[in-house]
Amino acid sequence: MKEYNFGKYLSSYFLSYIPSRMDYSENTVKSYRDAFTIFLRYCTKVLNLKPEKMKITDINKDFIEDFLNWLVDKKGYSIKTRNQRLAALQSFFRFLQIETPENLERCNSILSIKAKKVQNTGQMTYLSINAIRKLLATPNSKTKEGKRDLAILTLLYDTGARVQEIIDLNVCDLRLSSPATVKLLGKGQKVRVIPINPQTVNIIKSYMDNYQLLDEENLKTPVFFNKQKRRLSRAGIGYILKKHFEIARINNSNHFPVKISPHALRHSKAMHLLEANVNLIYIRDFLGHVSVSTTEIYAKANPEIKRKAIEAANNNVLPEETLTTNDKEVLLDWLKEFI
């Protein structure tokens, strides 16, 4: 019986199949790679299966469903992320349908696994300006690691960048002289240039000086990297945010939600721009949205914006208050009976 080495086909998938697919963006490829990194870690640490010895015939529908349940139940991944990991795995098994027709039934059964419905709660996680201040006060800016963490969190918030946009930053993408800007590569390879404020510039300069990144020979160097000098991953930035979030939340739980993600800082920036009466068109361009209708979700989700709109409408319609002092006292006495 022919052996179908899993590693051999996985290598072929990433090295030959994916590069030939012009519709796969760089971020999609990274997402798929991350999915298989987690999948192989699950096989190794949970199932004690060595990836180099795995065969295609070792994997079936139940195997994949157990992995997906582990992501949600044990690792605490959201349903949305679970669905993204499933999409990556199913893309690989579509490739296997072509490469190994003998495994067509096995592949079809895995492809039949449905994405779970993501509940739309209508709520968006974002932090108040006061909470942002408390979060950014957490890293110890006297240490090398603290300077890096503060630079990451500050740049995420100040630019409203997606986490992948921060990961992809090279030193040459930063202009720290006036007017200071950062060049972000967004979805669909679209570039936008975002202004950064003087406080953020000082924080980034302090960090880059500490890591000797201000020299010209480092222009192509990643702005943020790990101990192995490799770009930080989504998980790495998520860990940094979570670490400082939990510290900031200890004595300020009323100011913070229960959980946080890097995207919440992007939401926070958008909300604060809205509250400052910045035009939606500018916020759309700032965030790199294709359509202003995407940006409008912030206006719909922000209760303060709704309250101001309702008050403004009421001021134009409702008659002015005409209660006398005596009327107000009678009204207060009446209300006290029910409070």
Side-chain angles (χ1 to χ4, degrees):
M1 184 178 177
K2 184 178 177 180
E3 291 189 354
Y4 299 94
N5 183 277
F6 177 78
K8 171 190 168 185
Y9 285 101
L10 188 60
S11 296
S12 180
Y13 171 73
F14 276 105
L15 297 177
S16 302
Y17 178 73
I18 280 188
S20 69
R21 297 293 297 267
M22 300 301 292
D23 56 333
Y24 279 13
S25 70
E26 186 179 345
N27 286 340
T28 298
V29 175
K30 288 178 181 176
S31 175
Y32 283 12
R33 181 195 62 202
D34 290 347
F36 276 97
T37 299
I38 296 166
F39 178 69
L40 292 175
R41 193 177 298 141
Y42 166 78
C43 293
T44 304
K45 295 187 176 181
V46 178
L47 303 180
N48 294 318
L49 287 173
K50 293 183 178 180
E52 65 271 19
K53 292 187 176 181
M54 284 175 58
K55 301 178 180 63
I56 298 298
T57 49
D58 291 331
I59 305 170
N60 55 29
K61 182 178 180 180
D62 290 341
F63 192 112
I64 299 297
E65 287 182 333
D66 287 345
F67 166 66
L68 297 172
N69 291 336
W70 175 80
L71 288 177
V72 175
D73 299 337
K74 300 296 182 183
K75 302 299 290 183
Y77 282 64
S78 67
I79 296 299
K80 182 179 178 181
T81 303
R82 177 256 187 207
N83 291 343
Q84 289 171 342
R85 303 310 184 209
L86 172 61
L89 292 169
Q90 289 182 329
S91 174
F92 173 66
F93 281 94
R94 286 192 188 92
F95 159 75
L96 283 181
Q97 283 180 317
I98 301 167
E99 295 295 308
T100 65
E102 303 92 329
N103 289 304
L104 188 61
E105 185 177 347
R106 180 183 305 276
C107 293
N108 285 342
S109 68
I110 291 170
L111 293 173
S112 71
I113 300 173
K114 302 292 185 184
K116 288 193 174 181
K117 188 174 181 181
V118 179
Q119 274 193 324
N120 184 6
T121 61
Q123 294 182 331
M124 182 183 294
T125 300
Y126 63 95
L127 305 181
S128 66
I129 290 177
N130 191 31
I132 290 289
R133 288 196 188 103
K134 292 180 184 299
L135 176 66
L136 297 183
T138 303
N140 182 356
S141 58
K142 293 181 180 179
T143 67
K144 200 172 181 181
E145 187 180 87
K147 287 178 186 289
R148 182 203 63 180
D149 292 358
L150 180 58
I152 290 171
L153 298 181
T154 303
L155 201 57
L156 267 172
Y157 170 72
D158 193 29
T159 63
R162 301 175 180 94
V163 66
Q164 190 63 50
E165 293 169 347
I166 295 296
I167 291 169
D168 291 339
L169 277 181
N170 291 326
V171 172
C172 61
D173 296 320
L174 289 167
R175 174 193 167 101
L176 299 180
S177 57
S178 183
T181 59
V182 58
K183 183 171 70 174
L184 300 174
L185 181 63
K187 290 183 177 180
Q189 302 298 297
K190 291 183 179 178
V191 174
R192 67 188 189 280
V193 178
I194 302 296
I196 46 181
N197 68 47
Q199 296 97 319
T200 302
V201 170
N202 291 335
I203 289 168
I204 294 172
K205 277 184 177 178
S206 177
Y207 155 70
M208 293 180 70
D209 183 50
N210 221 256
Y211 281 80
Q212 299 177 330
L213 293 173
L214 294 173
D215 300 331
E216 283 196 11
E217 66 260 23
N218 292 321
L219 290 177
K220 293 295 181 182
T221 302
V223 175
F224 300 112
F225 47 82
N226 58 23
K227 291 178 181 178
Q228 290 75 42
K229 300 294 182 180
R230 295 175 183 168
R231 290 184 192 276
L232 282 176
S233 63
R234 287 171 174 268
I237 289 182
Y239 170 79
I240 289 168
L241 171 60
K242 185 179 178 183
K243 176 177 67 175
H244 295 292
F245 170 79
E246 289 178 348
I247 294 171
R249 193 175 183 275
I250 290 174
N251 297 318
N252 304 282
S253 58
N254 291 338
H255 293 280
F256 293 92
V258 176
K259 295 194 297 185
I260 195 74
S261 73
H263 214 67
L265 298 187
R266 176 174 164 86
H267 290 328
S268 301
K269 183 66 176 184
M271 288 298 192
H272 299 160
L273 288 173
L274 260 179
E275 289 169 0
N277 297 317
V278 175
N279 189 286
L280 272 177
I281 299 297
Y282 176 75
I283 299 175
R284 177 201 65 186
D285 295 340
F286 184 87
L287 296 175
H289 288 159
V290 174
S291 169
V292 74
S293 61
T294 307
T295 316
E296 285 174 347
I297 63 172
Y298 295 105
K300 294 175 182 176
N302 191 321
E304 184 63 15
I305 299 295
K306 292 177 182 176
R307 183 187 65 77
K308 287 180 179 178
I310 291 168
E311 284 183 355
N314 285 346
N315 287 339
N316 293 330
V317 176
L318 297 179
E320 291 185 8
E321 182 182 290
T322 56
L323 291 177
T324 65
T325 302
N326 184 60
D327 289 335
K328 289 179 181 178
E329 289 177 356
V330 172
L331 181 59
L332 285 172
D333 289 339
W334 180 79
L335 285 172
K336 286 176 184 177
E337 296 179 17
F338 298 92
I339 296 175

